[in-house]
Amino acid sequence: MSSKKTIVLGITGGIAAYKMADFSHMLCKAGFDVSVVMTENAKQFIAPLTFETLTSNPCISSCFERNTDYEVEHIALAQRADLLFVSPATANIIAKFANGIADDALSTQALACTCPKIIAPAMNTAMLENPATKRNLKTLENDGWIVIPPDSGLLACGDIGAGKLPSNETLFSYAEFALSREKDMKGKHVLITAGATQEAIDPVRYITNHSSGKMGYALAKEYMLRGATVTLVTTPTALEPIPFLNTLAVNSAEEMFLTVKDHFMKQDIIIMVAAVADYSPREKADNKIKKADSDLSIHLKRTTDILTYLGEHKKPNQFICGFSMETENMLENSRKKLQHKKADMIIANNTKTEGAGFKGDTNLVTIITKDKEVELPLLSKADLANKIVSQIV
Ligand code: CTP
C-alpha cells in the first residue's frame, strides 16, 4: 500500500476551476496522491483529461460511469481519503453539502468521507453574502469543515468585492496544515523571535547584522504545523509570511523587548532565535547627518538582554530557549550563556563552520541543556526545526 497521503480534490463549476490544474500539480509535486472528483458543470470550464494527466489518477464526475469500476471505487476513495479539499466551491455545492444532499459524484463523496474536509468558496459577492450561503457556510463550519475565507478583489464577473479564490499557495498551506504533521503541540502557546534587529542611527541609516530570519521562521512553521498557537515576533526579512501565525512586526531591539514582554506570560515555550543587537545608538545623530559619513560619531548604549529578562521572570513550567552564535570556544561560551541567562536550552552554532549560521538554508548545531548535549548533523533548517521541537518535547 502507498504511504502517500490521499487528497480527494473536488472541483465545481466556477471560472476558478481552471486554476485547479496548477493546484493539483502542486499537491502531486509535494508528494500527495491526488484524485479529482468534478461536477458536470466543472467540466464546462476544464477537461477531466487535464487532471488525469497531471495526477495520474482517473478523474471521476459521475456515479454511473460504465467504463470504470467506479461503483466500487467511489466508496473506496472516500474511505482511502486523508483529506477532502473542495475548490472552487459554488453556492450550489455548499448548499448541497450543508443539507446532506448526495445527487452526484462529488456530493456523494462528501457525504461518505470521514476524513478532514476543507472548502474554498469562490463566487460573486452578492451570492456569497446571500443569507442562504452565509447560513450554509456556518452549517459546514459547525459540521467540522474548514472554510477558507475568500479573498477580495476584481472578480471574473467584473464586480469588485469578496468572493475571489485565494492563491494556490494559500490553498496549499491549508492542505499542508491538515496533513503534514501529528498535532502533538495542540494547546501549547509558543513565542519565537526571528530576524536581525535594526538600530536606527538617524531617520535614514541603521545598524543591523546578517541574520536572514530563516531559522526562526522554520521553527515557527514547525510548531504551527504541529498544532501550536504561535506568535512570531519578527524584524523585516525577505521571507514569505507564514499563514496561521500571530505575526508581530518589530524593528529595534527595544521594540522586540517590549513586544516579547507584553506576550511572554501567556506562553509555554519561548525561543529567542533573533540576532538582537547588543548596542544601539544612544541618541539619533540628526545634527551630524550633514557631515561626511566618516565624521559620524555614534554613541552606543547597551540594549536590554531579552533572554536574560525572560530567564529572570520565567513562570513555573515555562521553557526558555536561546540560540548562540559563536566564532570561537562554541561549547564553552554557550554553556556560560545557558547559565548566565538562566535559559533551559541553548542551541549553539559556530558561524565559522561551513553550512552553519545566519544566511544559508542549512545549519549545524549542538543542543545544550543542564543535563545533556546533543550534537546534530548538518541539516536543512526545516529538518533542524523538526529535530529541535522534538528535543524540546
Ligand atoms: N539576546 C537577547 N537580547 C540581546 C542579545 C541577545 O535576547 N540583547 C539573545 C539572542 O536572541 C540569543 C541569545 O541571547 O538567543 C544569545 O545571543 P548571542 O548574540 O549569541 O549572545 P550575546 O548575549 O549577545 O553575547 P555575545 O554577542 O557577546 O556573544
Side-chain angles (χ1 to χ4, degrees), residues 191-195 216 231-234 256 260 270-274 276:
L191 184 145
I192 292 168
T193 64
T231 302
L232 175 67
V233 180
T234 178
M256 182 171 279
V260 170
I270 303 165
I271 310 184
M272 287 291 307
V273 194
V276 186

Side-chain angles (χ1 to χ4, degrees), residues 193 253 256 271-279 302-308 310 321-326 333 337 341 346:
T193 64
M256 182 171 279
I271 310 184
M272 287 291 307
V273 194
V276 186
D278 291 327
Y279 294 94
R302 256 216 173 266
T303 56
T304 308
D305 192 304
I306 308 171
L307 190 58
T308 303
L310 294 172
C321 170
F323 269 66
S324 93
M325 281 285 175
E326 304 298 338
N333 289 344
K337 282 180 192 170
K341 302 197 182 210
I346 288 283

Side-chain angles (χ1 to χ4, degrees), residues 55-312:
T55 66
S56 310
N57 278 323
C59 176
I60 296 163
S61 56
S62 159
C63 290
F64 305 106
E65 272 160 27
R66 311 272 292 276
N67 55 351
T68 71
D69 57 355
Y70 171 63
E71 279 89 341
V72 184
E73 177 65 6
H74 82 280
I75 290 297
L77 185 58
Q79 284 170 344
R80 205 168 66 232
D82 295 295
L83 177 68
L84 173 65
F85 198 117
V86 182
S87 170
T90 56
N92 185 50
I93 202 80
I94 291 167
K96 283 192 201 177
F97 291 165
N99 290 285
I101 295 170
D103 66 350
D104 64 1
L106 180 55
S107 49
T108 306
Q109 283 289 325
L111 211 55
C113 277
T114 53
C115 61
K117 296 174 188 152
I118 298 177
I119 190 159
M123 66 195 78
N124 166 271
T125 311
M127 292 173 82
L128 183 69
E129 286 173 1
N130 183 291
T133 308
K134 282 180 156 172
R135 198 166 56 237
N136 290 333
L137 284 171
K138 258 267 130 332
T139 303
L140 290 187
E141 276 180 337
N142 291 340
D143 290 350
W145 286 74
I146 293 168
V147 178
I148 303 180
D151 278 353
S152 290
L154 179 63
L155 305 177
C157 58
D159 285 0
I160 294 176
K164 251 172 98 78
L165 189 70
S167 69
N168 282 343
E169 286 71 25
T170 301
L171 300 182
F172 183 84
S173 57
Y174 277 84
E176 191 185 27
F177 178 73
L179 287 179
S180 71
R181 299 278 195 288
E182 289 299 316
K183 301 292 177 259
D184 59 348
M185 289 288 115
K186 206 170 161 54
K188 295 277 178 223
H189 287 75
V190 182
L191 184 145
I192 292 168
T193 64
T197 58
Q198 299 180 345
E199 309 305 321
I201 301 168
D202 57 42
V204 180
R205 288 166 283 192
Y206 57 79
I207 303 170
T208 192
N209 60 64
H210 288 298
S211 174
S212 63
K214 286 178 184 170
M215 193 65 240
Y217 274 57
L219 273 164
K221 184 169 180 185
E222 179 68 23
Y223 271 111
M224 176 274 285
L225 290 176
R226 288 166 76 156
T229 304
V230 181
T231 302
L232 175 67
V233 180
T234 178
T235 62
T237 70
L239 304 172
E240 282 292 311
I242 302 171
F244 315 123
L245 304 184
N246 175 24
T247 301
L248 305 171
V250 298
N251 288 291
S252 66
E254 185 62 12
E255 274 173 34
M256 182 171 279
F257 170 57
L258 295 175
T259 308
V260 170
K261 195 171 155 214
D262 264 5
H263 289 83
F264 96 96
M265 283 309 275
K266 288 177 262 162
Q267 311 299 326
D268 301 299
I269 299 164
I270 303 165
I271 310 184
M272 287 291 307
V273 194
V276 186
D278 291 327
Y279 294 94
S280 106
R282 194 154 37 147
E283 58 197 33
K284 299 224 169 95
D286 291 341
N287 53 339
K288 315 262 182 180
I289 202 164
K290 293 192 195 75
K291 290 191 174 186
D293 279 2
S294 57
D295 285 352
L296 184 68
S297 64
I298 304 167
H299 301 280
L300 297 171
K301 64 165 190 253
R302 256 216 173 266
T303 56
T304 308
D305 192 304
I306 308 171
L307 190 58
T308 303
Y309 176 90
L310 294 172
E312 280 168 358

